[in-house]
Amino acid sequence: MPRGIPILRKGRKALEDLNLLKILQSEITHELSSSRFQDTQSGLLGDFKVEYDAPQSQDVVLRKKCESGEEVAVSALLGPETGAREPMFARELLMKVCVKKPGCGSILQFDCGVTENLDRSNFDIHNAYYLRSSTCTQPSIYRGPLFCSLDPQLQDALKEYLVARGIEENLTTFLLNHLYKKEQGQYVNWLQKIESLVARG
């Protein structure tokens, strides 16, 4: 009987590996056949160009130069899981928008959140900062008041300022779709690596 114990252990391990392999293959098939993000409109980049979008990273960086000479940079990534299942894009997209005037080293930075509601994406400004040029001899520590404490008309005007620079629904819809698809691709790639490892074992 003692000689049979290692054989039983090997047999049980083989069954566990086979079960895990089937579950992994089922999950990969499900993810690849899922059209959660392919059925939605992909949105448009407008005049923005993709500056950074490494396959292994969680974020994407876009940039554009306006006719006025202003430079607008957008950095976006998905926020933490909330546990909610609906709507399709249950997580908030975190987006930083930086605007730089020509010949000026200082930058306006806006921290925004993008959500999907009734098949439409919408962005809200959480914070707004004036960042002085790094060449200033006396950098300011004060980053400004809480955005929600600003006069509502000023809040609306700052949002309109960003919309006029291309931060609107087509762009935010593109970012939501792109980052969810990117995350899904990374998840499938991870599953396939585990499947390969289990199959070799």
Side-chain angles (χ1 to χ4, degrees):
M1 186 66 180
R3 291 176 63 190
I5 290 174
I7 295 169
L8 286 172
R9 284 185 182 148
K10 283 182 183 178
R12 190 172 71 188
K13 184 182 180 308
L15 285 172
E16 287 170 356
D17 287 354
L18 184 61
N19 191 35
L20 176 58
L21 197 58
K22 285 179 182 174
I23 292 169
L24 286 166
Q25 289 167 343
S26 173
E27 182 69 5
I28 291 166
T29 302
H30 168 73
E31 287 296 324
L32 292 175
S33 65
S34 172
S35 58
R36 283 178 292 175
F37 311 120
Q38 287 79 1
D39 291 344
T40 57
Q41 290 184 338
S42 61
L44 300 169
L45 275 172
D47 296 331
F48 283 93
K49 304 278 186 263
V50 177
E51 183 171 278
Y52 175 82
D53 188 22
Q56 69 278 10
S57 73
Q58 295 179 333
D59 63 339
V60 61
V61 178
L62 311 175
R63 189 177 295 273
K64 85 169 188 176
K65 193 161 189 172
C66 303
E67 289 180 16
S68 62
E70 282 181 326
E71 289 182 54
V72 182
V74 177
S75 171
L77 59 84
L78 293 174
E81 296 265 356
T82 60
R85 290 285 175 215
E86 295 295 331
M88 182 186 300
F89 301 111
R91 291 159 61 193
E92 183 180 42
L93 179 92
L94 304 176
M95 178 174 71
K96 282 192 189 302
V97 181
C98 295
V99 181
K100 183 179 174 193
K101 296 279 186 184
C104 180
S106 301
I107 293 172
L108 282 177
Q109 177 184 308
F110 299 87
D111 295 344
C112 306
V114 179
T115 54
E116 185 242 4
N117 188 17
L118 301 174
D119 298 327
R120 298 190 67 199
S121 64
N122 182 44
F123 82 92
D124 292 306
I125 301 173
H126 298 316
N127 293 301
Y129 307 112
Y130 171 75
L131 305 177
R132 293 178 69 176
S133 169
S134 57
T135 59
C136 288
T137 54
Q138 293 179 329
S140 174
I141 296 171
Y142 179 64
R143 298 202 28 124
L146 291 172
F147 190 78
C148 61
S149 70
L150 298 177
D151 181 280
Q153 286 184 312
L154 179 55
Q155 291 182 42
D156 291 342
L158 286 168
K159 186 167 182 177
E160 288 169 19
Y161 175 82
L162 290 183
V163 169
R165 279 144 191 84
I167 311 301
E168 41 75 47
E169 188 179 351
N170 274 329
L171 180 70
T172 55
T173 299
F174 167 83
L175 289 169
L176 276 169
N177 276 283
H178 180 74
L179 288 171
Y180 267 91
K181 284 180 191 175
K182 182 175 184 175
E183 184 179 72
Q184 185 184 33
Q186 290 171 339
Y187 176 54
V188 169
N189 188 41
W190 178 77
L191 287 171
Q192 288 170 334
K193 285 178 180 175
I194 293 177
E195 178 199 26
S196 174
L197 189 68
V198 170
R200 275 204 305 269

PDB file of all heavy atoms in Angstrom, residues 13-29:
ATOM      1  N   LYS A  13      -3.350  14.745  -8.619  1.00  0.00           N
ATOM      2  CA  LYS A  13      -2.783  15.986  -9.150  1.00  0.00           C
ATOM      3  C   LYS A  13      -3.115  16.137 -10.633  1.00  0.00           C
ATOM      4  O   LYS A  13      -3.464  17.222 -11.105  1.00  0.00           O
ATOM      5  CB  LYS A  13      -1.272  16.019  -8.940  1.00  0.00           C
ATOM      6  CG  LYS A  13      -0.629  17.317  -9.391  1.00  0.00           C
ATOM      7  CD  LYS A  13       0.866  17.302  -9.217  1.00  0.00           C
ATOM      8  CE  LYS A  13       1.515  18.581  -9.669  1.00  0.00           C
ATOM      9  NZ  LYS A  13       1.174  19.010 -11.015  1.00  0.00           N
ATOM     10  N   ALA A  14      -3.027  15.036 -11.390  1.00  0.00           N
ATOM     11  CA  ALA A  14      -3.349  15.074 -12.819  1.00  0.00           C
ATOM     12  C   ALA A  14      -4.807  15.461 -13.035  1.00  0.00           C
ATOM     13  O   ALA A  14      -5.132  16.252 -13.924  1.00  0.00           O
ATOM     14  CB  ALA A  14      -3.054  13.724 -13.471  1.00  0.00           C
ATOM     15  N   LEU A  15      -5.710  14.923 -12.193  1.00  0.00           N
ATOM     16  CA  LEU A  15      -7.134  15.269 -12.306  1.00  0.00           C
ATOM     17  C   LEU A  15      -7.374  16.734 -11.965  1.00  0.00           C
ATOM     18  O   LEU A  15      -8.149  17.425 -12.627  1.00  0.00           O
ATOM     19  CB  LEU A  15      -7.970  14.369 -11.388  1.00  0.00           C
ATOM     20  CG  LEU A  15      -8.188  12.931 -11.861  1.00  0.00           C
ATOM     21  CD1 LEU A  15      -8.864  12.115 -10.770  1.00  0.00           C
ATOM     22  CD2 LEU A  15      -9.029  12.907 -13.134  1.00  0.00           C
ATOM     23  N   GLU A  16      -6.692  17.238 -10.908  1.00  0.00           N
ATOM     24  CA  GLU A  16      -6.827  18.647 -10.525  1.00  0.00           C
ATOM     25  C   GLU A  16      -6.322  19.556 -11.647  1.00  0.00           C
ATOM     26  O   GLU A  16      -6.947  20.568 -11.981  1.00  0.00           O
ATOM     27  CB  GLU A  16      -6.059  18.918  -9.235  1.00  0.00           C
ATOM     28  CG  GLU A  16      -6.724  18.331  -8.006  1.00  0.00           C
ATOM     29  CD  GLU A  16      -5.840  18.391  -6.772  1.00  0.00           C
ATOM     30  OE1 GLU A  16      -4.671  18.824  -6.876  1.00  0.00           O
ATOM     31  OE2 GLU A  16      -6.319  17.999  -5.694  1.00  0.00           O
ATOM     32  N   ASP A  17      -5.161  19.210 -12.232  1.00  0.00           N
ATOM     33  CA  ASP A  17      -4.605  19.997 -13.339  1.00  0.00           C
ATOM     34  C   ASP A  17      -5.541  19.990 -14.539  1.00  0.00           C
ATOM     35  O   ASP A  17      -5.736  21.016 -15.187  1.00  0.00           O
ATOM     36  CB  ASP A  17      -3.226  19.460 -13.740  1.00  0.00           C
ATOM     37  CG  ASP A  17      -2.149  19.799 -12.708  1.00  0.00           C
ATOM     38  OD1 ASP A  17      -2.463  20.550 -11.759  1.00  0.00           O
ATOM     39  OD2 ASP A  17      -1.025  19.305 -12.851  1.00  0.00           O
ATOM     40  N   LEU A  18      -6.127  18.812 -14.826  1.00  0.00           N
ATOM     41  CA  LEU A  18      -7.042  18.700 -15.960  1.00  0.00           C
ATOM     42  C   LEU A  18      -8.283  19.549 -15.731  1.00  0.00           C
ATOM     43  O   LEU A  18      -8.749  20.244 -16.633  1.00  0.00           O
ATOM     44  CB  LEU A  18      -7.432  17.231 -16.179  1.00  0.00           C
ATOM     45  CG  LEU A  18      -8.324  16.939 -17.393  1.00  0.00           C
ATOM     46  CD1 LEU A  18      -7.631  17.347 -18.680  1.00  0.00           C
ATOM     47  CD2 LEU A  18      -8.708  15.470 -17.426  1.00  0.00           C
ATOM     48  N   ASN A  19      -8.799  19.551 -14.493  1.00  0.00           N
ATOM     49  CA  ASN A  19      -9.966  20.361 -14.155  1.00  0.00           C
ATOM     50  C   ASN A  19      -9.633  21.849 -14.283  1.00  0.00           C
ATOM     51  O   ASN A  19     -10.405  22.623 -14.849  1.00  0.00           O
ATOM     52  CB  ASN A  19     -10.435  20.025 -12.737  1.00  0.00           C
ATOM     53  CG  ASN A  19     -11.783  20.629 -12.422  1.00  0.00           C
ATOM     54  OD1 ASN A  19     -12.643  20.734 -13.289  1.00  0.00           O
ATOM     55  ND2 ASN A  19     -11.964  21.035 -11.183  1.00  0.00           N
ATOM     56  N   LEU A  20      -8.470  22.258 -13.763  1.00  0.00           N
ATOM     57  CA  LEU A  20      -8.034  23.648 -13.856  1.00  0.00           C
ATOM     58  C   LEU A  20      -7.863  24.053 -15.317  1.00  0.00           C
ATOM     59  O   LEU A  20      -8.262  25.145 -15.724  1.00  0.00           O
ATOM     60  CB  LEU A  20      -6.726  23.851 -13.084  1.00  0.00           C
ATOM     61  CG  LEU A  20      -6.092  25.246 -13.169  1.00  0.00           C
ATOM     62  CD1 LEU A  20      -7.055  26.315 -12.663  1.00  0.00           C
ATOM     63  CD2 LEU A  20      -4.785  25.284 -12.389  1.00  0.00           C
ATOM     64  N   LEU A  21      -7.286  23.162 -16.112  1.00  0.00           N
ATOM     65  CA  LEU A  21      -7.079  23.428 -17.532  1.00  0.00           C
ATOM     66  C   LEU A  21      -8.410  23.669 -18.240  1.00  0.00           C
ATOM     67  O   LEU A  21      -8.542  24.608 -19.034  1.00  0.00           O
ATOM     68  CB  LEU A  21      -6.329  22.253 -18.169  1.00  0.00           C
ATOM     69  CG  LEU A  21      -5.679  22.499 -19.532  1.00  0.00           C
ATOM     70  CD1 LEU A  21      -4.694  23.646 -19.475  1.00  0.00           C
ATOM     71  CD2 LEU A  21      -4.993  21.237 -20.018  1.00  0.00           C
ATOM     72  N   LYS A  22      -9.412  22.849 -17.933  1.00  0.00           N
ATOM     73  CA  LYS A  22     -10.737  23.006 -18.552  1.00  0.00           C
ATOM     74  C   LYS A  22     -11.369  24.341 -18.167  1.00  0.00           C
ATOM     75  O   LYS A  22     -11.965  25.029 -18.991  1.00  0.00           O
ATOM     76  CB  LYS A  22     -11.661  21.852 -18.141  1.00  0.00           C
ATOM     77  CG  LYS A  22     -11.348  20.543 -18.839  1.00  0.00           C
ATOM     78  CD  LYS A  22     -12.299  19.459 -18.356  1.00  0.00           C
ATOM     79  CE  LYS A  22     -11.980  18.124 -19.016  1.00  0.00           C
ATOM     80  NZ  LYS A  22     -12.783  17.034 -18.469  1.00  0.00           N
ATOM     81  N   ILE A  23     -11.220  24.710 -16.886  1.00  0.00           N
ATOM     82  CA  ILE A  23     -11.784  25.984 -16.415  1.00  0.00           C
ATOM     83  C   ILE A  23     -11.085  27.155 -17.102  1.00  0.00           C
ATOM     84  O   ILE A  23     -11.740  28.111 -17.553  1.00  0.00           O
ATOM     85  CB  ILE A  23     -11.676  26.089 -14.878  1.00  0.00           C
ATOM     86  CG1 ILE A  23     -12.609  25.063 -14.222  1.00  0.00           C
ATOM     87  CG2 ILE A  23     -12.000  27.493 -14.396  1.00  0.00           C
ATOM     88  CD1 ILE A  23     -12.396  24.883 -12.738  1.00  0.00           C
ATOM     89  N   LEU A  24      -9.757  27.086 -17.206  1.00  0.00           N
ATOM     90  CA  LEU A  24      -9.007  28.145 -17.891  1.00  0.00           C
ATOM     91  C   LEU A  24      -9.426  28.270 -19.347  1.00  0.00           C
ATOM     92  O   LEU A  24      -9.658  29.374 -19.856  1.00  0.00           O
ATOM     93  CB  LEU A  24      -7.497  27.866 -17.808  1.00  0.00           C
ATOM     94  CG  LEU A  24      -6.841  28.112 -16.450  1.00  0.00           C
ATOM     95  CD1 LEU A  24      -5.462  27.481 -16.407  1.00  0.00           C
ATOM     96  CD2 LEU A  24      -6.759  29.599 -16.156  1.00  0.00           C
ATOM     97  N   GLN A  25      -9.548  27.133 -20.037  1.00  0.00           N
ATOM     98  CA  GLN A  25      -9.939  27.150 -21.443  1.00  0.00           C
ATOM     99  C   GLN A  25     -11.347  27.708 -21.617  1.00  0.00           C
ATOM    100  O   GLN A  25     -11.624  28.452 -22.559  1.00  0.00           O
ATOM    101  CB  GLN A  25      -9.827  25.745 -22.034  1.00  0.00           C
ATOM    102  CG  GLN A  25      -8.382  25.308 -22.210  1.00  0.00           C
ATOM    103  CD  GLN A  25      -8.220  23.817 -22.494  1.00  0.00           C
ATOM    104  OE1 GLN A  25      -9.134  23.027 -22.270  1.00  0.00           O
ATOM    105  NE2 GLN A  25      -7.036  23.437 -22.966  1.00  0.00           N
ATOM    106  N   SER A  26     -12.233  27.370 -20.690  1.00  0.00           N
ATOM    107  CA  SER A  26     -13.601  27.885 -20.739  1.00  0.00           C
ATOM    108  C   SER A  26     -13.617  29.405 -20.560  1.00  0.00           C
ATOM    109  O   SER A  26     -14.329  30.126 -21.272  1.00  0.00           O
ATOM    110  CB  SER A  26     -14.446  27.227 -19.641  1.00  0.00           C
ATOM    111  OG  SER A  26     -15.709  27.815 -19.559  1.00  0.00           O
ATOM    112  N   GLU A  27     -12.814  29.904 -19.616  1.00  0.00           N
ATOM    113  CA  GLU A  27     -12.748  31.346 -19.363  1.00  0.00           C
ATOM    114  C   GLU A  27     -12.150  32.081 -20.565  1.00  0.00           C
ATOM    115  O   GLU A  27     -12.635  33.151 -20.960  1.00  0.00           O
ATOM    116  CB  GLU A  27     -11.920  31.619 -18.100  1.00  0.00           C
ATOM    117  CG  GLU A  27     -11.806  33.068 -17.708  1.00  0.00           C
ATOM    118  CD  GLU A  27     -13.097  33.694 -17.212  1.00  0.00           C
ATOM    119  OE1 GLU A  27     -14.124  32.989 -17.061  1.00  0.00           O
ATOM    120  OE2 GLU A  27     -13.089  34.915 -16.976  1.00  0.00           O
ATOM    121  N   ILE A  28     -11.106  31.512 -21.172  1.00  0.00           N
ATOM    122  CA  ILE A  28     -10.492  32.124 -22.361  1.00  0.00           C
ATOM    123  C   ILE A  28     -11.498  32.179 -23.507  1.00  0.00           C
ATOM    124  O   ILE A  28     -11.649  33.220 -24.164  1.00  0.00           O
ATOM    125  CB  ILE A  28      -9.215  31.352 -22.774  1.00  0.00           C
ATOM    126  CG1 ILE A  28      -8.114  31.554 -21.727  1.00  0.00           C
ATOM    127  CG2 ILE A  28      -8.725  31.791 -24.152  1.00  0.00           C
ATOM    128  CD1 ILE A  28      -6.948  30.594 -21.848  1.00  0.00           C
ATOM    129  N   THR A  29     -12.202  31.086 -23.730  1.00  0.00           N
ATOM    130  CA  THR A  29     -13.216  31.034 -24.795  1.00  0.00           C
ATOM    131  C   THR A  29     -14.298  32.074 -24.549  1.00  0.00           C
ATOM    132  O   THR A  29     -14.718  32.782 -25.469  1.00  0.00           O
ATOM    133  CB  THR A  29     -13.846  29.623 -24.882  1.00  0.00           C
ATOM    134  OG1 THR A  29     -12.809  28.679 -25.123  1.00  0.00           O
ATOM    135  CG2 THR A  29     -14.880  29.542 -25.985  1.00  0.00           C
TER     136      THR A  29
END
